[in-house]
Each structure stands twice: as structure tokens, then as C-alpha cells.
């Protein structure tokens, strides 16, 4: 256990790396509302906020609801000369499930739908006891680490942007009507942005450590007591 302003270059205890430029900083305890920024690039290192865990949990639950809606509700309908056809993402995946296009169906459901839902579930599992001031659940550290590792592979935002570009090109050939699932995906993007604004990975790691969980070698900082 290290005191404030002490660090170990061998284990990295007491140090924090900037997620943008990897510059090392000495870790310090922050009060609610304070923000620690990188001295090199200005990136946010830590930003504890009052009630942030509850807000993240609410947004994670919202994400799971939106993902469910986006899978089974109608996504879009294309009509031309009085003939129309609508489908959902699940219907598209099932249509691609046979033959050589099967990997594309797996990628569609996995990267676009599955990963956002799994990440949201992992966040709820990690933060639920912390928001209630209780010890973390077993394997909470592994759950949050997996959530962070899956973050770059979540393709919901890329999918909706690609869909919008494709619809612009098809709009001249047929009439396109967007279904509830499309707007659920649009809402999912805004929810994801809001989630990132509330969530600070460093603060969550510190909360897990302060609750007694063994993380990745970083140590809790002892409060310096006045003499």
C-alpha cells in the first residue's frame, strides 16, 4: 500500500498512464467534481462525479432495451411500384445464415448487436454493488476488464452510419421507410455518447480497489493524516 505521491516504477503502483498519449503521471486522490488531465495532451485521466455509477447503470439498461428493440422490430421497408418489403435485423441475419454468407450473419449479430448488450450487462454487474455502497461481486474486476477490451469491437455506430450512406444511394431507386429498429439504433448512438461522458475508467478501477477488489497491481492510496 502506497502513500499519496509515492509510486513504484517496477510494478506501476501509484502511477496512471494517459489513455491517449501514454504519458505517466503520479496518481492522486480526487474529490467529486475535480478533473485530472494529462500534462502532455490534455486528455482526461480521472473525473469522479457524484451519482455517476447510477447514471451509467441506467444508461446501460437503456442500451440493452434499445438493442432488443433493434433486433426484433422492423428496421426498414423498401417499396417500388406498389410492391414493398420490410425486414428486421434478425430477419436479415437469418437470410444470410445459409451458405457462404453465414460468417456475415454472425458478424452482424455479434459485433453490431451482441457486443453492445454484453458490455452493458458487464457494466451493470460491475457497478450495481458499488452504486449501493456494497462490496463488488465476485469476478467484478474480470467483468469490467472484459468490458473495456470489448469496447473497440462494438460496431453499432459504424453500422448505422454505413446504413445511412447505403440508404442515400438507394433512395433514388425506391421509396425507403425507416422502422422503429432504425430509430432505436439512432437512440443507441446518443446513449453511448452519454455513457462515455459519465464513465471514467480510472474512477471505476479506483472504486473497485477501494472496495477491496484485487485489480491489476495498482494499489489503494492511503489518506495522509495530519500530524
Amino acid at each position: 500500500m502506497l502513500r499519496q505521491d509515492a509510486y513504484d516504477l517496477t510494478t506501476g503502483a501509484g502511477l496512471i498512464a494517459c489513455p491517449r498519449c501514454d504519458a505517466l503521471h503520479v496518481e492522486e486522490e480526487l474529490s467529486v467534481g475535480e478533473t485530472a488531465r494529462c500534462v502532455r495532451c490534455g486528455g482526461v485521466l480521472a473525473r469522479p462525479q457524484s451519482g455517476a455509477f447510477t447514471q451509467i447503470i441506467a444508461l446501460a439498461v437503456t442500451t440493452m432495451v434499445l438493442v432488443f428493440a433493434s433486433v426484433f422490430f422492423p428496421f426498414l421497408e423498401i417499396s417500388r411500384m406498389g410492391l414493398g418489403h420490410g425486414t428486421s435485423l434478425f430477419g436479415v441475419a437469418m437470410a444470410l445464415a445459409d451458405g457462404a454468407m453465414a460468417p456475415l450473419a454472425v458478424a452482424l449479430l455479434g459485433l453490431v448487436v451482441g457486443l453492445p448488450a454484453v458490455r452493458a450487462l458487464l457494466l451493470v454487474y460491475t457497478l450495481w454493488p458499488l452504486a449501493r455502497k456494497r462490496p463488488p461481486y465476485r469476478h467484478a474486476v474480470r467483468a469490467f476488464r472484459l468490458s473495456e477490451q470489448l469496447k473497440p469491437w462494438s460496431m453499432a455506430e459504424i453500422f448505422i452510419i454505413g446504413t445511412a450512406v447505403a440508404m442515400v444511394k438507394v433512395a433514388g431507386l425506391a421509396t425507403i421507410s425507416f422502422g422503429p429498429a432504425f430509430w432505436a439504433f439512432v437512440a443507441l448512438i446518443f446513449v453511448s455518447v452519454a455513457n462515455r461522458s459519465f464513465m471514467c475508467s480510472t474512477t471505476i478501477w479506483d472504486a473497485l480497489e477501494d472496495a477491496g477488489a484485487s485489480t491489476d497491481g495498482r494499489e489503494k492510496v492511503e489518506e495522509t493524516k495530519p500530524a
Side-chain angles (χ1 to χ4, degrees):
M1 184 177 295
L2 300 177
R3 294 185 177 275
Q4 189 167 332
D5 297 331
Y7 56 89
D8 188 344
L9 290 176
T10 303
T11 63
L15 296 173
I16 181 172
C18 174
R20 294 173 58 182
C21 69
D22 293 331
L24 286 177
H25 303 74
V26 178
E27 186 180 13
E28 296 183 1
E29 289 291 308
L30 300 177
S31 301
V32 174
E34 292 183 333
T35 301
R37 294 187 178 274
C38 176
V39 296
R40 178 188 294 172
C41 68
V44 175
L45 301 177
R47 184 172 51 194
Q49 302 180 36
S50 178
F53 289 171
T54 302
Q55 293 168 335
I56 294 173
I57 291 173
L59 291 172
V61 173
T62 303
T63 297
M64 288 187 284
V65 173
L66 291 174
V67 167
F68 178 83
S70 66
V71 173
F72 297 104
F73 288 174
F75 188 81
L76 57 82
E77 181 179 355
I78 299 179
S79 60
R80 178 176 172 84
M81 300 178 64
L83 300 177
H85 180 71
T87 186
S88 64
L89 288 182
F90 185 77
V92 172
M94 292 299 98
L96 298 175
D98 295 331
M101 302 299 288
L104 183 58
V106 175
L108 175 65
L109 292 180
L111 299 179
V112 177
V113 177
L115 287 189
V118 170
R119 287 197 66 240
L121 184 61
L122 292 173
L123 284 175
V124 172
Y125 180 85
T126 302
L127 298 179
W128 180 259
L130 299 180
R132 303 174 67 189
K133 308 298 183 182
R134 294 183 178 181
Y137 293 139
R138 187 180 182 184
H139 305 307
V141 172
R142 292 183 180 179
F144 183 63
R145 183 177 290 116
L146 179 59
S147 172
E148 291 292 281
Q149 292 172 344
L150 293 177
K151 185 187 299 184
W153 297 97
S154 181
M155 300 294 179
E157 297 90 343
I158 305 301
F159 173 77
I160 200 64
I161 293 174
T163 301
V165 173
M167 292 305 99
V168 170
K169 295 181 177 295
V170 176
L173 302 177
T175 302
I176 301 172
S177 301
F178 296 112
F182 177 85
W183 300 114
F185 255 105
V186 174
L188 182 62
I189 294 176
F190 289 100
V191 170
S192 299
V193 172
N195 199 348
R196 290 169 187 170
S197 67
F198 284 116
M199 192 174 74
C200 176
S201 300
T202 303
T203 303
I204 296 176
W205 283 122
D206 288 340
L208 288 170
E209 290 173 347
D210 293 341
S214 176
T215 58
D216 53 359
R218 297 169 57 204
E219 303 292 339
K220 292 188 296 183
V221 178
E222 282 189 350
E223 294 184 0
T224 55
K225 299 180 179 180

